[in-house]
Amino acid sequence: MANIQDFINKLDELKFDDMYMNDFFLTWEKTFDELQATWTVADALRYLRENNISTKVFDSGLGISLFRDNSTRTRFSFASACNLLGLEVQDLDEGKSQVAHGETVRETANMISFMADVIGIRDDMYIGKGNTYMHEVADSVAQGYKDGILEQRPTLVNLQCDIDHPTQIMADALHCIHEMGGLENMKGKKIAMTWAYSPSYGKPLSVPQGAIGLFTRLGCDVVLAHPEGYEVMPEVEEIARKQAEESGGSFTKTNNMAEAFKDADIVYPKSWAPFAAMEKRTNLYAEGDSDEIKALEKELLAQNAEHKDWCCTEELMKTTKDGKALYLHCLPADINDVSCKDGEVEASVFDRYRDPLYKEASYKPYIIAAMILLEKFKNPQKVLAELEKRGQKRIFEA
Amino acid sequence: MANIQDFINKLDELKFDDMYMNDFFLTWEKTFDELQATWTVADALRYLRENNISTKVFDSGLGISLFRDNSTRTRFSFASACNLLGLEVQDLDEGKSQVAHGETVRETANMISFMADVIGIRDDMYIGKGNTYMHEVADSVAQGYKDGILEQRPTLVNLQCDIDHPTQIMADALHCIHEMGGLENMKGKKIAMTWAYSPSYGKPLSVPQGAIGLFTRLGCDVVLAHPEGYEVMPEVEEIARKQAEESGGSFTKTNNMAEAFKDADIVYPKSWAPFAAMEKRTNLYAEGDSDEIKALEKELLAQNAEHKDWCCTEELMKTTKDGKALYLHCLPADINDVSCKDGEVEASVFDRYRDPLYKEASYKPYIIAAMILLEKFKNPQKVLAELEKRGQKRIFEA
Amino acid sequence: MANIQDFINKLDELKFDDMYMNDFFLTWEKTFDELQATWTVADALRYLRENNISTKVFDSGLGISLFRDNSTRTRFSFASACNLLGLEVQDLDEGKSQVAHGETVRETANMISFMADVIGIRDDMYIGKGNTYMHEVADSVAQGYKDGILEQRPTLVNLQCDIDHPTQIMADALHCIHEMGGLENMKGKKIAMTWAYSPSYGKPLSVPQGAIGLFTRLGCDVVLAHPEGYEVMPEVEEIARKQAEESGGSFTKTNNMAEAFKDADIVYPKSWAPFAAMEKRTNLYAEGDSDEIKALEKELLAQNAEHKDWCCTEELMKTTKDGKALYLHCLPADINDVSCKDGEVEASVFDRYRDPLYKEASYKPYIIAAMILLEKFKNPQKVLAELEKRGQKRIFEA
């Protein structure tokens, strides 16, 4: 777009009042207007930064990050988003903190939030737990604000849970939108969200679930492909089906990777663990049964190994639309003969898409910042206008 | 209060010049005017923040945190306080740093302080060590400043030592002052600082010592209650006695929890380790005698277990003033049938006081920020006036 | 200097255009004008800070620190430098991140750099690896910028590699320049870079190599002294030789510590590991041969122990110029009877130089900040002038 007013005009067409003073858990809990507002604000923030205009809207304030799993990308994306808006990140690292020592969620959530404007949580390891935990935290601080304990309501950004990975998939979608030349061009595009082989085990379901839960709203023809036994959560499939109907797209399933790739405009081949196995593992962990856990891991790796042919090859890529489907991945990918012997994708395919893959990832900090901005400001249009008017340089100009 | 001028007027009545370019170790080393200045500045900073006025008084500068023990609350309180004033926190984590590799305190203290405006230390584990270590650090950097090595004098905030926990207890007191309707209303109030049973072992003495060391200055009738054998440091008791005389309050001791609770306005039931045992343990650690340490732990846990009846029950709470004493705790508490089978407090009591407990904790970041402000600025009245005049918004208003 | 214009005038005499949008790897890859520009900007930034003028030139933006080794000083120096300029530090801690899980350098470098203005790396452990790794990172993000993935080009500061330790040695040199009363006074000064005994093993070669690689450019008479078998990298010696010729200084080698100290103006006695042994160790680590590694360590410690007489004693110090050579060390030093029984320096010598040693270290944050400023701004003269004109106070003045 040519100037900030274009983004403001776009926002003026949308209804997203409910995002203010609210949290962001799952994309399908948001209206389509709200998703569009998020993409629009993300693009607007990027526009301002590219024009060296500071988007610091906080002059002090904390962004709390709570990771229950190792993470580089998401950690840096959240830190970048907070920094972009003027918030300082404080990590609540369970190793360093007393969280591990049996405190209740409610107490800890309030104790760390006296100066917190936003809390970002990643908790994707156990089925049925991560999203629930996030709601506990969000409810706790919302109550703390209501009770006058907290002077501001810290809003939550889901940085990946057991059900959805909204910051990733919203970034993926924004990448597609730009590559396809606009949201309206997504209609009728065929998207293959397919399982792929990985020698590692237990990768989260949040990306495939997030993908079918979001792209079905854009009028796309979404195909979910995986070997038998690698089903995702049935509730999410149900949502995808319903949404596809509403948007004029479609949602189909297949156990045939080639079928999914055939004439696809966009492919997203990625490994994940079977939902049923993840659920079983969650229960075994709860019971602390380490022998059974080891047995399950062994079994799952053996099961994976039966599907080494599920790989994004040059041959398969040739069958996509003009042989040039847009290849997506949340990274890091398991690349044949690079990160492992057999993996999710052939090295030559991956290499050809390196730049688009990095661009795909580059949207994430802006998506997170947009979620925060929409949660914290009633009138983001005015914020954007005033930021440009203020004209504070991000890098000193001399 | 209605506006910033009220806080400034209050400060004008007090003498606190010596706080400037000084450190904060123990509350009883400060004059009563200085303590009042701290509470007043804390309230003023909170007033400004509640009115969306930025209190950033540093435009770059570091706050160093040095924790020799795990911590969530204090870590976040210090980070919040620094952020509120515009300082960026840098953690000196012994795991990450070379401190563990035999460097002298003097050297390390200077090496990390080239851009440090404040250093916050928590070191409460070993009797006779924590406070001493803090003085070493403070002396080192004061000397470094005098010698022209450091361009500013980093001042120190004691975030908990073996003797006192001034940021906690000053926050506790400010909470009481507000709940009782003003400092003058604290006179004659009965405060029960009592031991309580915990299944864990070796909790620091800094809270009970801090409590009797501070509340005796407010004209309160302070009762210290604990089973025989759970004595605190005799020097601190002596200070409490002397201060009570001067303030027109009283300081008494009892081995009877019920006696302490009877007609109390405020109760603070909390576990701690016997001073003598902590001293013994410190020596055993110094000698590296792990067999003796284990034997001591076992002995102390057995000793604790004899006093499971020291619990803050509904029955006991009924005996307090109108059955409605203000219940204090520094958190986290050991709650019966919640965090442990038998603990410091019955779940129903704790639940009823949850909001006040969280409010109590909410003062800590402001207390720390007030200590920093008074250490770094000669004329805090003018700082407060200018901050309001500057009117920089904490959250962008659009 | 009396005012900012003096620094600007000095910069006007120098040519350093190539530093803009570039990285800082090794001092000998920079022109002498570029080194002078670095010292001048460092002094100018210090001048501004001493006059309470904020030097924040970034209004948001990240400084990424990547340490492959424990570090206190360098970590804090980098954090201080970033903070001074308005960048927020994000540590890429391999423990916390997925770097350890087999990602390619190129991918990770881009993934963490979406909002990064500078990347500081310390990687000094393995011969032939550290500097190479830094180039990989710098090339990756330069390419990412060129490809439009990154909106800014994150420039690199070498915080210590296997070859050079430019931030340390540039700070050391600036300290010497000030102590000797100006750069022109460095000509003809005798500098003894000598090995010294340490009971520890495997200290990096980057300091002695950095010293002979830098001081030979200042017209100094540089003597490198070490026991036989403690040779540094021959390539660096060759560079030192060539540079000495060009600058009108000299570069000589000896196996006699006393000879090096005789009439020296500056002494830098410090332990390091033999280059050949470090190279061997690097290969053994690559092969994962832990038995051979242990054998090598034992052998090297035994070899060290044959040279306990290589110590900076009072006796040796007496033989230096007027008995008052400037004693340098990058700290921490191995001090006789303080940090170890036998070490690099006698306690009385070290104690006498404590203040100068701390001052030496105090230049490092400014050197790093100067490197960043010169990498990010085309016209640093104008930046300095505008910063003074802006007159934003670092500490609020009221």
Side-chain angles (χ1 to χ4, degrees), chain A residues 227-287:
Chain A
E228 263 185 81
Y230 285 83
E231 280 69 27
V232 303
M233 291 174 72
E235 301 91 312
V236 182
E237 286 192 9
E238 192 46 47
I239 284 160
R241 214 164 280 127
K242 200 170 140 269
Q243 291 180 158
E245 252 175 63
E246 291 166 5
S247 75
S250 65
F251 173 64
T252 51
K253 288 177 62 182
T254 171
N255 294 138
N256 186 323
M257 194 177 186
E259 195 183 310
F261 266 61
K262 179 97 183 85
D263 294 324
D265 297 277
I266 298 168
V267 295
Y268 205 146
K270 201 212 155 295
S271 191
W272 67 80
F275 166 63
M278 290 296 269
E279 204 172 26
K280 193 172 165 189
R281 191 176 70 148
T282 300
N283 294 334
L284 291 175
Y285 269 105
E287 293 159 19

Side-chain angles (χ1 to χ4, degrees), chain A residues 35-94:
Chain A
L35 300 184
Q36 288 185 71
T38 308
W39 289 318
T40 306
V41 171
D43 279 341
L45 289 172
R46 188 161 201 153
Y47 167 85
L48 290 172
R49 192 173 195 273
E50 283 174 351
N51 285 280
N52 199 30
I53 296 173
S54 168
T55 53
K56 273 180 125 169
V57 287
F58 295 95
D59 194 57
S60 85
L62 299 183
I64 312 288
S65 77
L66 206 162
F67 285 77
R68 305 193 122 189
D69 198 2
N70 278 346
S71 167
T72 304
R73 285 167 183 69
T74 308
R75 186 180 288 275
F76 271 78
S77 292
F78 183 69
S80 297
C82 285
N83 176 268
L84 189 69
L85 301 179
L87 297 174
E88 193 181 337
V89 171
Q90 274 292 315
D91 291 326
L92 178 61
D93 183 333
E94 300 196 28

